[in-house]
Amino acid sequence: MSQKVVLAFSGGLDTSFCVKYLSEDRGMNVYSVLVDTGGFSDAELKAIEERAYSLGVKSHVTVSKTDDYYQQCLKFLVFGNVLKNNTYPLSVSAERIFQAIAAAEYAREIGATAIAHGSTGAGNDQVRFDMAFRIIAPDAEVITPIRDLRLSREAEIEYLKAKGVDQEWHKAAYSINKGLWGTSVGGKETLTSDQFLPESAWPTQVTKTEPETITLVFQHGEIKEVAGEKFANSVDAIRKITELAGPFGIGRDIHVGDTIIGIKGRVGFEAPAPLILIKAHHTLEKHVLGKWQLYWKEQLSNWYGTMLHEGQFMDPVMRNIETFLADSQAHVSGKVHVLLAPYRFQVLGIESDHDLMSSKFGSYGEMNNAWTGDDVRGFSKVASNQVMIYEKINNQ
């Protein structure tokens, strides 16, 4: 009986090679699985399925994980205002983890004795897939043909041609990975330290030039209304923001970071919805949360983002941090007004019943109602005591 192997399949060159290699060279029954986390249209999903069968898989399934992706991960990235290195909303980092977990769960479900992925030995994805496979299906063999055989793109193409796969494989000038939480863009400029991506490289071209203002409505930290349209599912609200802001060229940047394997890397991305949501949410939080809530949220959220980026999403401590983040959102409800313009956006202000800039206690810089000048004088004296004593003893 042929060994059953589950292949995390995207339909690209690397995973197409994997199907032929695993089925024909190693004699395995290949069960391909595509995990949709919001980056594919129905037509694209159908085309990928047809491609899988044309290559010779025994079975192909599409597993939809978009709602789980939001509920179990993305909403916590918003709660935590998570931007890696103050720049990157972890678009691919988060997506890959969920794809890897779902592929491993499918392998366990059908009793596969092996799981495969098409990652090379150069980047972060190999670690994310390897870790998820080992945690979810520890007894399954992990097979990584591209990494193990150290194949070049040209070698893969020649192999497929020899196997009768007649397709015009070409290396696009820019590699594009589209997802619900943003689109990554890689090209020759991202392999340098001094060049930015040209206008033509961005998947969404600028077609809007007249600025417009939209209002976002948050309920307990989750986006529920965009420009007057209410959404029961926040996933649809995210898509709406992308639809409105993307044509302005909003959300473009280049992330420079440390890979899991210890080298520096650059990647371009366009992520209008994540960047707008995180900035708007953070602004609302600055109005409704206390000083120490904001402080500890920032510390824990930065660490949460790093753990997620490095493939540690399944560590139980992540559930602890998520509990903290969710609890902090009790009063994060209100409206945020945002200006959209070519290549930029600006948060204009907020409205919330929980706004701590309440006139009941006076106005900043004006007469206050809850304390007197003498109260502040006494407080300042006590608060400075320790450092005053230190200075007297050591420096006077």
Side-chain angles (χ1 to χ4, degrees):
M1 182 179 293
S2 297
Q3 187 179 7
K4 184 185 292 186
V5 57
V6 164
L7 171 65
F9 186 74
S10 67
L13 175 61
D14 293 333
T15 53
S16 296
F17 173 92
C18 289
V19 172
K20 283 296 185 183
Y21 172 78
L22 294 170
S23 62
E24 297 188 12
D25 289 23
R26 295 193 55 167
M28 306 176 82
N29 286 328
V30 179
Y31 291 71
S32 59
V33 55
L34 184 143
V35 183
D36 181 16
T37 50
F40 298 95
S41 67
D42 290 342
E44 288 169 333
L45 293 175
K46 181 64 176 175
I48 292 171
E49 178 182 5
E50 291 172 354
R51 172 154 194 77
Y53 281 113
S54 73
L55 289 165
V57 302
K58 188 171 184 63
S59 171
H60 176 84
V61 298
T62 297
V63 178
S64 178
K65 284 291 181 179
T66 306
D67 287 340
D68 289 344
Y69 181 37
Y70 172 78
Q71 290 294 337
Q72 297 172 25
C73 181
L74 295 186
K75 75 177 183 182
F76 296 108
L77 297 183
V78 177
F79 291 171
N81 309 308
V82 176
L83 292 174
K84 182 70 174 170
N85 291 358
N86 296 313
T87 304
Y88 179 51
L90 297 179
S91 305
V92 176
S93 313
E95 184 178 61
R96 287 293 183 267
I97 290 294
F98 271 76
Q99 291 168 341
I101 291 172
E105 289 174 341
Y106 178 65
R108 189 172 61 184
E109 176 187 325
I110 68 170
T113 56
I115 319 177
H117 63 83
S119 300
T120 70
N124 290 320
D125 286 345
Q126 59 178 324
V127 178
R128 295 168 183 144
F129 276 102
D130 284 359
M131 290 179 65
F133 290 177
R134 186 170 186 272
I135 292 168
I136 302 296
D139 296 327
E141 177 188 4
V142 176
I143 303 174
T144 56
I146 309 302
R147 178 175 65 183
D148 295 344
L149 298 173
R150 299 182 179 181
L151 294 171
S152 67
R153 184 180 181 86
E154 291 71 27
E156 292 178 59
I157 293 171
E158 289 305 314
Y159 172 91
L160 288 172
K161 285 181 178 178
K163 291 290 186 179
V165 180
D166 186 18
Q167 180 166 335
E168 184 61 36
W169 298 103
H170 67 280
K171 184 172 178 60
Y174 296 94
S175 61
I176 307 294
N177 182 85
K178 182 181 179 183
L180 176 68
W181 205 234
T183 301
S184 67
V185 186
K188 59 181 175 34
E189 291 85 3
T190 58
L191 298 176
T192 71
S193 297
D194 64 332
Q195 297 179 47
F196 199 75
L197 290 165
E199 187 72 23
S200 60
W202 301 103
T204 306
Q205 293 292 291
V206 176
T207 56
K208 285 186 176 182
T209 57
E210 290 298 318
E212 60 188 68
T213 298
I214 62 172
T215 297
L216 309 180
V217 178
F218 291 88
Q219 294 178 9
H220 306 301
E222 294 192 67
I223 183 66
K224 292 298 182 182
E225 185 177 325
V226 179
E229 186 174 352
K230 293 181 170 62
F231 296 93
N233 187 342
S234 294
V235 168
D236 296 324
I238 292 168
R239 289 186 169 127
K240 183 64 177 181
I241 297 172
T242 300
E243 174 191 322
L244 292 173
F248 281 108
I250 291 171
R252 298 176 176 182
D253 207 342
I254 289 185
H255 167 58
V256 181
D258 299 286
T259 66
I260 304 170
I261 57 176
I263 60 175
K264 294 284 186 183
R266 289 177 93 220
V267 64
F269 66 90
E270 59 173 39
L275 293 186
I276 290 171
L277 271 174
I278 287 171
K279 182 66 174 179
H281 176 268
H282 190 208
T283 300
L284 180 59
E285 281 195 328
K286 287 188 285 187
H287 280 263
V288 304
L289 296 186
K291 174 175 69 174
W292 294 115
Q293 284 180 299
L294 290 166
Y295 174 85
W296 284 111
K297 277 188 77 269
E298 184 175 352
Q299 312 311 309
L300 292 173
S301 298
N302 184 53
W303 183 77
Y304 180 89
T306 297
M307 290 283 282
L308 174 64
H309 175 74
E310 297 191 353
Q312 297 287 358
F313 177 75
M314 285 172 282
D315 192 298
V317 74
M318 299 289 275
R319 311 292 82 79
N320 303 141
I321 305 306
E322 289 162 1
T323 300
F324 170 86
L325 292 174
D327 185 73
S328 73
Q329 301 301 293
H331 298 142
V332 186
S333 298
K335 299 178 180 179
V336 184
H337 308 297
V338 182
L339 173 71
L340 306 180
Y343 304 107
R344 69 181 181 90
F345 71 94
Q346 184 176 356
V347 175
L348 302 176
I350 71 102
E351 298 175 57
S352 174
D353 292 338
H354 305 286
D355 189 355
L356 298 179
M357 287 185 63
S358 172
S359 60
K360 295 176 183 178
F361 303 100
S363 302
Y364 182 76
E366 304 293 339
M367 183 60 69
N368 294 293
N369 302 322
W371 61 88
T372 68
D374 288 338
D375 293 332
V376 177
R377 185 178 290 110
F379 167 79
S380 302
K381 185 174 182 180
V382 172
S384 63
N385 261 344
Q386 188 173 73
V387 180
M388 181 273 290
I389 293 169
Y390 177 89
E391 288 292 323
K392 274 185 173 294
I393 289 174
N394 294 295
N395 295 323
Q396 293 183 15

